[in-house]
Amino acid sequence: MPTTSSMEPGRFRMPPALRTWLPVVLSLIVQLGGTFWALSRTSPDAGAWALAIVVAVIGPAALISARRFPGPVAALTIAAAAADILLAPGPQPPPFALVFGVVLGLIRGARLWVYTALVAGWSIVLLLGASAGLDWHPGRIVATTLAVAVLILMGETIRRRRQRARERWQRIREQRARAEREERVRIARELHDVLAHSLSQISVQAGVGLHLMDAQPEQARSALEHIKATSKHALDEVRGVLGILRGEDAPLTPAPGIDQIRELVDAVTAVDVVFQHPDLGSVPEAVQQAAYRIVQEALTNIVRHAHASHARVSLDTTADSLGVRIADDGRGGARESGNGVLGMRERAELLGGELRLETGAWGTTVTAILPLGREPR
Protein backbone atom coordinates (compact mmCIF):
# COMPACT_ATOMS: atom_id res chain seq x y z
CA MET A 1 0.00 0.00 0.00
CA PRO A 2 1.49 3.40 -0.93
CA THR A 3 2.56 5.60 1.92
CA THR A 4 1.24 9.10 2.47
CA SER A 5 4.47 10.70 1.31
CA SER A 6 4.52 8.65 -1.90
CA MET A 7 1.02 9.94 -2.71
CA GLU A 8 1.95 13.63 -2.50
CA PRO A 9 0.85 15.41 -5.69
CA GLY A 10 3.49 16.40 -8.21
CA ARG A 11 6.30 14.59 -6.43
CA PHE A 12 8.30 11.63 -7.80
CA ARG A 13 9.99 9.40 -5.25
CA MET A 14 12.55 6.76 -6.12
CA PRO A 15 12.19 3.30 -4.61
CA PRO A 16 13.84 3.07 -1.16
CA ALA A 17 16.43 0.52 -2.33
CA LEU A 18 17.50 2.78 -5.20
CA ARG A 19 17.73 5.81 -2.89
CA THR A 20 19.95 3.81 -0.53
CA TRP A 21 22.31 2.18 -3.00
CA LEU A 22 22.66 4.74 -5.81
CA PRO A 23 24.92 7.12 -3.77
CA VAL A 24 26.92 4.14 -2.51
CA VAL A 25 27.56 2.69 -5.97
CA LEU A 26 28.29 6.03 -7.66
CA SER A 27 30.73 7.21 -5.00
CA LEU A 28 32.40 3.80 -4.85
CA ILE A 29 32.90 3.70 -8.63
CA VAL A 30 34.28 7.24 -8.77
CA GLN A 31 36.52 7.06 -5.70
CA LEU A 32 37.80 3.52 -6.03
CA GLY A 33 38.30 3.75 -9.77
CA GLY A 34 40.00 7.13 -9.46
CA THR A 35 42.22 5.81 -6.67
CA PHE A 36 43.42 2.89 -8.78
CA TRP A 37 44.12 5.25 -11.68
CA ALA A 38 46.08 7.70 -9.46
CA LEU A 39 48.07 4.93 -7.78
CA SER A 40 48.98 3.34 -11.08
CA ARG A 41 50.59 6.62 -12.14
CA THR A 42 52.67 7.08 -8.96
CA SER A 43 53.57 3.39 -8.30
CA PRO A 44 53.73 3.61 -4.46
CA ASP A 45 54.59 0.76 -2.14
CA ALA A 46 52.07 -1.84 -0.95
CA GLY A 47 51.32 0.00 2.29
CA ALA A 48 50.36 3.15 0.45
CA TRP A 49 48.15 1.11 -1.88
CA ALA A 50 46.33 -0.48 1.03
CA LEU A 51 45.88 2.81 2.88
CA ALA A 52 44.57 4.64 -0.19
CA ILE A 53 42.08 1.88 -1.00
CA VAL A 54 40.79 1.73 2.59
CA VAL A 55 40.32 5.52 2.67
CA ALA A 56 38.53 5.41 -0.71
CA VAL A 57 36.11 2.69 0.48
CA ILE A 58 35.24 4.07 3.94
CA GLY A 59 33.05 6.93 2.71
CA PRO A 60 30.93 4.95 0.21
CA ALA A 61 30.51 2.11 2.72
CA ALA A 62 29.27 4.57 5.36
CA LEU A 63 26.57 5.85 2.98
CA ILE A 64 24.70 2.55 3.37
CA SER A 65 23.47 3.81 6.77
CA ALA A 66 22.80 7.41 5.68
CA ARG A 67 19.01 7.07 6.04
CA ARG A 68 19.16 5.88 9.65
CA PHE A 69 22.20 7.81 10.87
CA PRO A 70 22.62 10.87 8.63
CA GLY A 71 24.72 12.84 11.15
CA PRO A 72 27.37 10.22 11.98
CA VAL A 73 27.56 9.18 8.30
CA ALA A 74 28.19 12.78 7.23
CA ALA A 75 30.93 13.11 9.86
CA LEU A 76 32.54 9.83 8.72
CA THR A 77 32.56 10.81 5.04
CA ILE A 78 34.10 14.18 5.96
CA ALA A 79 36.78 12.44 8.06
CA ALA A 80 37.52 10.02 5.21
CA ALA A 81 37.88 12.92 2.75
CA ALA A 82 40.21 14.74 5.18
CA ALA A 83 42.34 11.61 5.57
CA ASP A 84 42.44 11.23 1.79
CA ILE A 85 43.80 14.78 1.42
CA LEU A 86 46.44 14.33 4.12
CA LEU A 87 47.58 10.71 3.58
CA ALA A 88 47.15 9.99 -0.11
CA PRO A 89 50.49 9.69 -1.96
CA GLY A 90 49.23 11.72 -4.91
CA PRO A 91 46.21 13.58 -6.33
CA GLN A 92 42.98 11.74 -5.60
CA PRO A 93 39.56 11.67 -7.29
CA PRO A 94 36.72 13.97 -6.08
CA PRO A 95 35.29 12.79 -2.71
CA PHE A 96 31.82 11.87 -3.99
CA ALA A 97 30.97 10.17 -0.68
CA LEU A 98 31.49 13.52 1.10
CA VAL A 99 29.14 15.21 -1.38
CA PHE A 100 26.39 12.69 -0.72
CA GLY A 101 27.06 12.56 3.03
CA VAL A 102 26.89 16.35 3.50
CA VAL A 103 23.85 16.88 1.26
CA LEU A 104 21.89 13.95 2.71
CA GLY A 105 22.83 15.01 6.25
CA LEU A 106 21.50 18.53 5.67
CA ILE A 107 18.35 17.30 3.97
CA ARG A 108 17.57 14.94 6.84
CA GLY A 109 18.07 17.54 9.55
CA ALA A 110 21.52 16.61 10.90
CA ARG A 111 22.75 20.18 10.44
CA LEU A 112 24.77 20.35 13.70
CA TRP A 113 26.65 17.16 12.80
CA VAL A 114 27.41 18.42 9.30
CA TYR A 115 28.60 21.92 10.24
CA THR A 116 30.64 20.71 13.20
CA ALA A 117 32.34 18.00 11.12
CA LEU A 118 33.05 20.36 8.22
CA VAL A 119 34.60 23.06 10.40
CA ALA A 120 36.62 20.54 12.43
CA GLY A 121 37.71 18.52 9.40
CA TRP A 122 38.80 21.48 7.27
CA SER A 123 40.57 23.11 10.23
CA ILE A 124 42.47 19.89 10.97
CA VAL A 125 43.44 19.52 7.31
CA LEU A 126 44.83 23.05 7.17
CA LEU A 127 46.68 22.78 10.50
CA LEU A 128 48.17 19.33 9.91
CA GLY A 129 48.98 20.14 6.32
CA ALA A 130 50.90 23.24 7.38
CA SER A 131 52.64 21.31 10.18
CA ALA A 132 53.66 18.54 7.79
CA GLY A 133 55.03 21.04 5.30
CA LEU A 134 52.60 20.15 2.51
CA ASP A 135 52.95 22.70 -0.26
CA TRP A 136 49.39 23.59 -1.18
CA HIS A 137 48.71 26.35 -3.64
CA PRO A 138 46.45 29.09 -2.16
CA GLY A 139 44.16 28.69 -5.14
CA ARG A 140 43.52 25.07 -4.18
CA ILE A 141 42.58 26.10 -0.63
CA VAL A 142 40.23 28.81 -1.90
CA ALA A 143 38.70 26.47 -4.50
CA THR A 144 38.15 23.75 -1.90
CA THR A 145 36.56 26.22 0.52
CA LEU A 146 34.25 27.52 -2.20
CA ALA A 147 33.35 23.95 -3.18
CA VAL A 148 32.37 23.21 0.44
CA ALA A 149 30.29 26.42 0.53
CA VAL A 150 28.50 25.44 -2.70
CA LEU A 151 27.85 21.99 -1.24
CA ILE A 152 26.30 23.53 1.88
CA LEU A 153 24.19 25.87 -0.24
CA MET A 154 22.97 22.94 -2.32
CA GLY A 155 22.02 20.88 0.72
CA GLU A 156 20.28 23.78 2.48
CA THR A 157 18.34 24.68 -0.67
CA ILE A 158 17.09 21.12 -1.12
CA ARG A 159 16.24 20.90 2.60
CA ARG A 160 14.20 24.12 2.50
CA ARG A 161 12.38 23.06 -0.65
CA ARG A 162 11.49 19.69 0.87
CA GLN A 163 10.38 21.37 4.09
CA ARG A 164 8.14 23.76 2.16
CA ALA A 165 6.75 20.84 0.16
CA ARG A 166 5.99 18.94 3.40
CA GLU A 167 4.32 21.99 4.91
CA ARG A 168 2.29 22.54 1.74
CA TRP A 169 1.22 18.89 1.68
CA GLN A 170 0.35 19.07 5.38
CA ARG A 171 -1.88 22.07 4.71
CA ILE A 172 -3.55 20.17 1.86
CA ARG A 173 -4.19 17.19 4.13
CA GLU A 174 -5.58 19.45 6.85
CA GLN A 175 -7.86 21.16 4.33
CA ARG A 176 -9.08 17.78 3.07
CA ALA A 177 -9.67 16.54 6.60
CA ARG A 178 -11.54 19.75 7.48
CA ALA A 179 -13.66 19.46 4.33
CA GLU A 180 -14.45 15.83 5.16
CA ARG A 181 -15.45 16.76 8.71
CA GLU A 182 -17.65 19.57 7.47
CA GLU A 183 -19.27 17.26 4.93
CA ARG A 184 -19.95 14.61 7.58
CA VAL A 185 -21.52 17.28 9.82
CA ARG A 186 -23.64 18.53 6.92
CA ILE A 187 -24.85 15.00 6.10
CA ALA A 188 -25.65 14.31 9.75
CA ARG A 189 -27.49 17.63 10.08
CA GLU A 190 -29.58 17.06 6.94
CA LEU A 191 -30.53 13.49 7.83
CA HIS A 192 -31.27 14.43 11.44
CA ASP A 193 -33.56 17.26 10.38
CA VAL A 194 -35.39 15.08 7.85
CA LEU A 195 -35.76 11.96 9.97
CA ALA A 196 -36.21 13.27 13.50
CA HIS A 197 -39.28 15.35 12.71
CA SER A 198 -40.98 12.69 10.59
CA LEU A 199 -40.25 9.86 13.02
CA SER A 200 -41.54 11.89 15.96
CA GLN A 201 -44.79 12.57 14.05
CA ILE A 202 -45.08 8.90 13.14
CA SER A 203 -44.51 7.91 16.77
CA VAL A 204 -47.21 10.28 18.00
CA GLN A 205 -49.74 9.17 15.38
CA ALA A 206 -48.95 5.51 16.00
CA GLY A 207 -49.68 6.03 19.69
CA VAL A 208 -52.96 7.75 18.84
CA GLY A 209 -53.90 4.93 16.47
CA LEU A 210 -53.21 2.24 19.05
CA HIS A 211 -55.20 4.12 21.69
CA LEU A 212 -58.25 4.67 19.46
CA MET A 213 -58.15 1.46 17.46
CA ASP A 214 -61.01 -0.21 19.38
CA ALA A 215 -63.03 2.77 20.58
CA GLN A 216 -62.81 5.03 17.51
CA PRO A 217 -61.62 3.04 14.48
CA GLU A 218 -62.19 5.97 12.12
CA GLN A 219 -59.81 8.14 14.14
CA ALA A 220 -57.32 5.27 14.17
CA ARG A 221 -57.64 5.03 10.40
CA SER A 222 -56.97 8.77 10.11
CA ALA A 223 -53.87 8.36 12.24
CA LEU A 224 -52.62 5.57 9.96
CA GLU A 225 -53.24 7.71 6.89
CA HIS A 226 -51.27 10.48 8.54
CA ILE A 227 -48.43 8.02 9.23
CA LYS A 228 -48.48 6.95 5.58
CA ALA A 229 -48.33 10.55 4.32
CA THR A 230 -45.60 11.52 6.77
CA SER A 231 -43.45 8.50 5.95
CA LYS A 232 -43.85 9.12 2.21
CA HIS A 233 -42.82 12.73 2.63
CA ALA A 234 -39.84 11.67 4.75
CA LEU A 235 -38.74 9.15 2.14
CA ASP A 236 -38.95 11.80 -0.58
CA GLU A 237 -36.84 14.17 1.50
CA VAL A 238 -34.27 11.44 2.26
CA ARG A 239 -34.03 10.63 -1.45
CA GLY A 240 -33.55 14.33 -2.15
CA VAL A 241 -30.73 14.57 0.41
CA LEU A 242 -29.05 11.44 -0.96
CA GLY A 243 -29.40 12.79 -4.49
CA ILE A 244 -27.59 15.97 -3.51
CA LEU A 245 -24.85 13.94 -1.80
CA ARG A 246 -24.41 11.85 -4.96
CA GLY A 247 -23.94 15.02 -6.97
CA GLU A 248 -27.15 14.82 -8.97
CA ASP A 249 -28.08 18.04 -10.75
CA ALA A 250 -31.58 18.37 -9.31
CA PRO A 251 -33.09 16.85 -6.16
CA LEU A 252 -36.20 14.70 -6.44
CA THR A 253 -38.15 17.18 -4.28
CA PRO A 254 -37.77 20.96 -4.17
CA ALA A 255 -35.85 22.42 -1.26
CA PRO A 256 -38.29 23.33 1.54
CA GLY A 257 -38.78 27.01 2.24
CA ILE A 258 -41.04 29.50 3.98
CA ASP A 259 -44.07 28.50 1.89
CA GLN A 260 -43.84 24.94 3.25
CA ILE A 261 -43.79 26.03 6.91
CA ARG A 262 -47.61 26.23 6.87
CA GLU A 263 -47.79 22.55 5.84
CA LEU A 264 -45.23 21.72 8.50
CA VAL A 265 -47.28 23.44 11.19
CA ASP A 266 -50.53 21.81 10.05
CA ALA A 267 -48.92 18.37 10.21
CA VAL A 268 -48.30 18.75 13.96
CA THR A 269 -51.33 17.36 15.77
CA ALA A 270 -49.92 16.70 19.23
CA VAL A 271 -49.67 20.43 19.98
CA ASP A 272 -51.86 23.36 19.00
CA VAL A 273 -49.52 25.48 16.85
CA VAL A 274 -50.26 29.02 15.66
CA PHE A 275 -48.31 30.31 12.67
CA GLN A 276 -47.94 34.04 12.13
CA HIS A 277 -45.99 35.89 9.46
CA PRO A 278 -46.51 39.11 7.54
CA ASP A 279 -45.60 39.64 3.90
CA LEU A 280 -41.89 38.79 4.01
CA GLY A 281 -40.98 39.93 0.52
CA SER A 282 -38.01 38.39 -1.28
CA VAL A 283 -35.99 36.01 0.91
CA PRO A 284 -32.94 34.11 -0.45
CA GLU A 285 -33.45 30.37 -0.93
CA ALA A 286 -30.68 29.44 1.51
CA VAL A 287 -32.28 31.58 4.23
CA GLN A 288 -35.71 30.09 3.53
CA GLN A 289 -34.36 26.54 3.82
CA ALA A 290 -32.55 27.36 7.08
CA ALA A 291 -35.73 28.92 8.50
CA TYR A 292 -37.76 25.84 7.53
CA ARG A 293 -35.27 23.44 9.13
CA ILE A 294 -35.05 25.50 12.32
CA VAL A 295 -38.83 25.56 12.66
CA GLN A 296 -38.97 21.84 11.88
CA GLU A 297 -36.41 20.94 14.54
CA ALA A 298 -37.98 23.28 17.13
CA LEU A 299 -41.42 21.71 16.60
CA THR A 300 -39.87 18.24 16.83
CA ASN A 301 -38.35 19.14 20.19
CA ILE A 302 -41.67 20.54 21.40
CA VAL A 303 -43.53 17.34 20.45
CA ARG A 304 -40.90 15.02 21.92
CA HIS A 305 -39.76 16.84 25.05
CA ALA A 306 -41.79 19.92 25.97
CA HIS A 307 -45.10 18.39 27.13
CA ALA A 308 -46.64 21.59 25.76
CA SER A 309 -50.24 22.35 24.85
CA HIS A 310 -49.68 25.38 22.67
CA ALA A 311 -46.87 26.70 20.51
CA ARG A 312 -46.42 29.77 18.34
CA VAL A 313 -44.27 30.14 15.22
CA SER A 314 -43.65 33.65 13.95
CA LEU A 315 -41.53 35.12 11.17
CA ASP A 316 -40.62 38.75 10.56
CA THR A 317 -38.09 40.61 8.46
CA THR A 318 -36.01 43.72 8.90
CA ALA A 319 -33.94 45.51 6.29
CA ASP A 320 -31.16 42.94 6.46
CA SER A 321 -32.37 39.86 8.35
CA LEU A 322 -35.15 37.32 8.81
CA GLY A 323 -36.28 36.63 12.37
CA VAL A 324 -37.62 33.19 13.29
CA ARG A 325 -39.26 32.65 16.69
CA ILE A 326 -40.77 29.44 18.07
CA ALA A 327 -42.26 29.54 21.58
CA ASP A 328 -44.18 26.95 23.63
CA ASP A 329 -45.86 26.76 27.02
CA GLY A 330 -44.29 23.47 28.05
CA ARG A 331 -41.28 22.61 30.16
CA GLY A 332 -37.85 22.29 28.57
CA GLY A 333 -38.80 21.69 24.97
CA ALA A 334 -35.24 22.13 23.71
CA ARG A 335 -32.00 20.93 25.22
CA GLU A 336 -28.90 23.06 24.82
CA SER A 337 -26.66 20.00 24.44
CA GLY A 338 -28.85 18.09 22.00
CA ASN A 339 -27.96 17.39 18.37
CA GLY A 340 -31.07 19.22 17.21
CA VAL A 341 -30.17 22.49 18.94
CA LEU A 342 -26.61 22.11 17.65
CA GLY A 343 -27.94 21.68 14.12
CA MET A 344 -30.16 24.77 14.42
CA ARG A 345 -27.28 26.84 15.70
CA GLU A 346 -25.00 25.61 12.90
CA ARG A 347 -27.58 26.53 10.26
CA ALA A 348 -27.88 30.05 11.65
CA GLU A 349 -24.12 30.53 12.00
CA LEU A 350 -23.42 29.24 8.48
CA LEU A 351 -25.45 32.20 7.24
CA GLY A 352 -23.65 34.60 9.55
CA GLY A 353 -26.58 34.74 11.99
CA GLU A 354 -27.22 33.57 15.53
CA LEU A 355 -29.61 31.39 17.50
CA ARG A 356 -30.78 32.03 21.05
CA LEU A 357 -32.46 29.55 23.36
CA GLU A 358 -34.43 30.71 26.42
CA THR A 359 -35.94 28.13 28.76
CA GLY A 360 -37.91 28.76 31.93
CA ALA A 361 -40.94 27.68 33.94
CA TRP A 362 -43.19 29.32 31.33
CA GLY A 363 -41.77 27.29 28.45
CA THR A 364 -39.05 27.51 25.82
CA THR A 365 -38.39 30.12 23.13
CA VAL A 366 -36.07 29.57 20.19
CA THR A 367 -35.07 32.74 18.31
CA ALA A 368 -32.97 32.74 15.14
CA ILE A 369 -31.67 35.82 13.33
CA LEU A 370 -30.74 34.99 9.71
CA PRO A 371 -29.02 37.70 7.59
CA LEU A 372 -30.58 38.06 4.16
CA GLY A 373 -27.42 38.88 2.25
CA ARG A 374 -25.16 35.94 3.13
CA GLU A 375 -24.52 32.66 1.35
CA PRO A 376 -23.73 29.59 3.45
CA ARG A 377 -20.02 29.27 4.20
Side-chain angles (χ1 to χ4, degrees):
M1 182 175 180
T3 61
T4 301
S5 58
S6 66
M7 297 172 63
E8 296 180 17
R11 183 176 178 183
F12 169 76
R13 294 181 66 87
M14 292 187 295
L18 185 60
R19 293 202 304 270
T20 298
W21 289 102
L22 184 60
V24 176
V25 173
L26 285 179
S27 57
L28 186 62
I29 291 174
V30 171
Q31 293 189 200
L32 195 57
T35 298
F36 277 115
W37 176 81
L39 292 175
S40 65
R41 291 171 59 88
T42 57
S43 301
D45 55 29
W49 269 85
L51 179 61
I53 291 173
V54 169
V55 170
V57 171
I58 288 176
L63 291 176
I64 297 174
S65 301
R67 288 180 60 82
R68 295 185 61 187
F69 308 106
V73 167
L76 190 55
T77 58
I78 293 169
D84 189 34
I85 295 173
L86 291 171
L87 302 177
Q92 296 297 306
F96 259 42
L98 178 143
V99 173
F100 286 115
V102 169
V103 172
L104 293 176
L106 291 174
I107 290 174
R108 289 168 183 156
R111 302 173 72 195
L112 181 60
W113 278 89
V114 171
Y115 288 127
T116 302
L118 281 174
V119 171
W122 190 227
S123 300
I124 291 172
V125 166
L126 294 177
L127 291 174
L128 292 183
S131 301
L134 297 178
D135 186 17
W136 288 337
H137 191 279
R140 181 183 178 185
I141 297 176
V142 172
T144 304
T145 304
L146 288 177
V148 171
V150 170
L151 195 60
I152 292 174
L153 179 62
M154 181 189 307
E156 289 288 356
T157 300
I158 297 174
R159 182 188 65 82
R160 284 195 294 269
R161 290 184 62 184
R162 292 185 64 172
Q163 182 176 355
R164 287 196 295 268
R166 285 194 297 268
E167 292 173 352
R168 183 169 59 253
W169 179 238
Q170 179 65 25
R171 288 195 297 271
I172 292 173
R173 285 188 293 182
E174 291 174 354
Q175 291 171 358
R176 288 178 178 176
R178 184 166 56 251
E180 290 173 0
R181 288 195 300 269
E182 291 174 353
E183 184 65 11
R184 284 197 296 268
V185 170
R186 186 175 76 88
I187 293 171
R189 185 170 58 242
E190 293 292 338
L191 292 178
H192 177 275
D193 288 348
V194 170
L195 295 177
H197 177 77
S198 299
L199 291 178
S200 65
Q201 291 297 312
I202 290 172
S203 176
V204 170
Q205 292 299 323
V208 171
L210 288 174
H211 180 70
L212 300 176
M213 183 174 293
D214 295 328
Q216 302 180 42
E218 287 302 319
Q219 292 294 328
R221 179 184 180 88
S222 176
L224 291 176
E225 290 175 349
H226 189 86
I227 289 174
K228 178 181 178 181
T230 302
S231 60
K232 181 180 182 301
H233 180 72
L235 287 174
D236 289 340
E237 284 205 88
V238 169
R239 291 193 188 101
V241 172
L242 295 179
I244 293 174
L245 297 178
R246 294 191 189 103
E248 297 176 2
D249 292 336
L252 297 178
T253 58
I258 291 175
D259 292 340
Q260 285 72 44
I261 293 180
R262 169 59 65 185
E263 301 175 9
L264 184 66
V265 169
D266 292 340
V268 177
T269 58
V271 180
D272 182 17
V273 184
V274 176
F275 180 42
Q276 293 180 331
H277 70 90
D279 182 11
L280 300 176
S282 177
V283 178
E285 182 178 342
V287 177
Q288 290 198 44
Q289 185 172 1
Y292 178 91
R293 293 302 186 193
I294 289 172
V295 172
Q296 183 183 52
E297 179 58 32
L299 291 177
T300 300
N301 285 337
I302 291 171
V303 171
R304 296 178 60 189
H305 308 297
H307 303 283
S309 302
H310 299 85
R312 182 182 300 273
V313 177
S314 58
L315 306 179
D316 63 87
T317 56
T318 62
D320 57 0
S321 66
L322 170 68
V324 182
R325 187 172 183 271
I326 308 97
D328 66 75
D329 60 356
R331 48 185 178 85
R335 296 171 296 172
E336 187 70 36
S337 59
N339 291 328
V341 174
L342 177 62
M344 290 191 289
R345 179 165 285 111
E346 287 174 348
R347 287 188 182 278
E349 291 175 352
L350 285 173
L351 292 169
E354 62 173 329
L355 183 131
R356 297 191 298 269
L357 182 67
E358 302 171 77
T359 301
W362 37 264
T364 300
T365 301
V366 176
T367 304
I369 306 298
L370 308 177
L372 296 177
R374 292 283 298 272
E375 291 296 324
R377 295 194 297 267

